[in-house]
Amino acid sequence: MSSALQASQLNGFSCSARVRARRTGSQRAFRPQAVAQSTSSPAGVPKPKWAGDDLLSRLVNVVINSPLFGVLKEGARKRIKQTAESRGVPWQHRVFELEHSGVFEIKEEIEDKALVYPSYYTRAFHGYDEGNLSWLAALEAEPATDVMALLPWAKNEAELTGPAAQVRLRQATLTAIRKFAADNKLKEPKHILDAGCSVGICTRWLAGEYPSADVVGMDLSPYMLAVAELRERQWEQRQALQRSGASPAAAPAADAAAVGADAIPGSTRRRRITYRHGMLEQSGLPSKSQDLVAVQFLIHECPADIISQMIQECKRLLRPGGMLAFVDINPDSAAGRSMPPAVATLMKATEPWTDEYYFYPLEKEMAKAGFRHVSNSELDPRHRIVIGHLA
């Protein structure tokens, strides 16, 4: 279950009137994308019966478009928010802190007002009427991401907190990337693009892991980028205060996920992250300009043809030996296949492209595009990394 799903299940319970007044755009009706596909993945693993064109999948889609769904969604929001707060995720506190920051003004600085949003991005998803093009989505993204990291372990590790699970997920991701590079004798990346960077949590971890690299975070949502840029400015203030010998108490507050990233080796000497408003499939960046493109928790939000365009654009962006890493929901996970129909209903209602993602042959398409040694490995019981490199 993605961070977006956590946000979608909770967004009605945590923001003040100030944020709601800043929400823009009209409500859009949701209709899930039906995809007639084989019942098995490209790897031959049976797909969940709630995905694709199976009878259960069609029934789930009927429920999504019925009045019953609203009742289910509201109940889930309340329950999961309570779980989040009880597991060390300060949902309300983080939203309140952002509401009373300079984040709203930053959006005006970072937004490319000439950018034309693709149609797949302007529909309702994640339980938000405007998708990620809203303040509500951006202000809840940090705690939602902690919940996403926690859920794979929540049932069996009762003492694990959301922030600790976040650290576990990010460390597993970076370890997998480093191992792949070592196994294939690839050079340390000096130029990194974090595509679909959201509020910058993944980006900060990458920058800390590769402190000498120039890191760019790109996202289609100027609201998300405003939060990411705010955190970067807070990081700069903390570094300046530490260099001056000031008390740590004088540093500006930051979310737990940001603090976790600051704690990893390299974070105190890393370079400043640059955030860019744009879309991966048409990045506008120079050819052969990147050594690593990381695409984390993005492509499950995209139709299949857009994923294919993204792969081609990454091929154009990467230098020889450059790596492409996709981190996302694992369609072949046992947790996904055994997901109860009620939970699957909630997920499909907030993730319009679930059926297309679950049947997209990612490894095959990467290999067809020219990526070598494409590998697929689990990061936790729900998430995977698929990674390859150019010759």
Side-chain angles (χ1 to χ4, degrees), residues 233-376:
R233 294 180 187 184
Q234 291 174 336
W235 171 81
E236 286 183 310
Q237 292 176 47
R238 291 195 298 275
Q239 300 308 305
L241 286 168
Q242 289 174 7
R243 288 193 297 270
S244 70
S247 168
D255 66 288
V259 173
D262 286 350
I264 68 173
S267 63
T268 59
R269 52 190 172 84
R270 69 169 173 84
R271 297 184 179 183
R272 193 194 196 283
I273 298 166
T274 300
Y275 287 105
R276 180 185 177 101
H277 188 203
M279 64 188 87
L280 174 56
E281 62 268 33
Q282 298 177 30
S283 71
L285 296 174
S287 297
K288 295 181 172 57
S289 61
Q290 305 298 317
D291 301 306
L292 168 63
V293 177
V295 188
Q296 305 187 62
F297 301 102
L298 173 64
I299 60 173
H300 73 275
E301 302 172 359
C302 302
D305 64 315
I306 296 298
I307 301 174
S308 296
Q309 291 177 38
M310 289 177 174
I311 292 173
Q312 291 300 321
E313 179 69 353
C314 291
K315 180 181 179 181
R316 183 187 72 81
L317 291 174
L318 286 165
R319 296 187 175 105
M323 293 178 285
L324 171 59
F326 288 101
V327 176
D328 220 304
I329 300 168
N330 185 358
D332 298 328
S333 70
R337 292 196 303 274
S338 62
M339 189 181 298
V343 177
T345 299
L346 291 170
M347 186 178 77
K348 291 186 73 174
T350 59
E351 303 283 5
W353 308 105
T354 297
D355 285 343
E356 294 200 25
Y357 171 71
Y358 264 70
F359 288 95
Y360 187 82
L362 183 58
E363 295 161 80
K364 179 180 177 181
E365 292 301 313
M366 287 178 64
K368 190 164 68 174
F371 287 91
R372 303 182 62 186
H373 303 117
V374 178
S375 66
N376 180 343

Side-chain angles (χ1 to χ4, degrees), residues 3-4 89 91 94 98 137-149 162-171 173-174 194-209 215-219 224-232 234-235 238 254-264 267 270 273 275 294 296-297 327:
S3 62
V89 180
W91 192 287
R94 291 198 205 170
L98 285 172
L139 301 194
E140 294 190 328
E142 290 174 340
T145 303
D146 272 358
V147 175
M148 173 272 293
Q166 183 76 251
V167 171
R168 182 183 293 184
L169 174 60
R170 303 307 169 184
Q171 288 179 337
T173 300
L174 295 171
D194 186 27
C197 67
S198 183
V199 293
I201 295 173
C202 303
T203 325
R204 293 191 291 271
W205 277 90
L206 284 166
E209 181 70 14
V215 179
V216 174
M218 176 179 287
D219 202 89
M224 299 287 182
L225 288 174
V227 176
E229 175 63 20
L230 173 71
R231 295 309 188 199
E232 196 65 6
Q234 291 174 336
W235 171 81
R238 291 195 298 275
D255 66 288
V259 173
D262 286 350
I264 68 173
S267 63
R270 69 169 173 84
I273 298 166
Y275 287 105
Q296 305 187 62
F297 301 102
V327 176

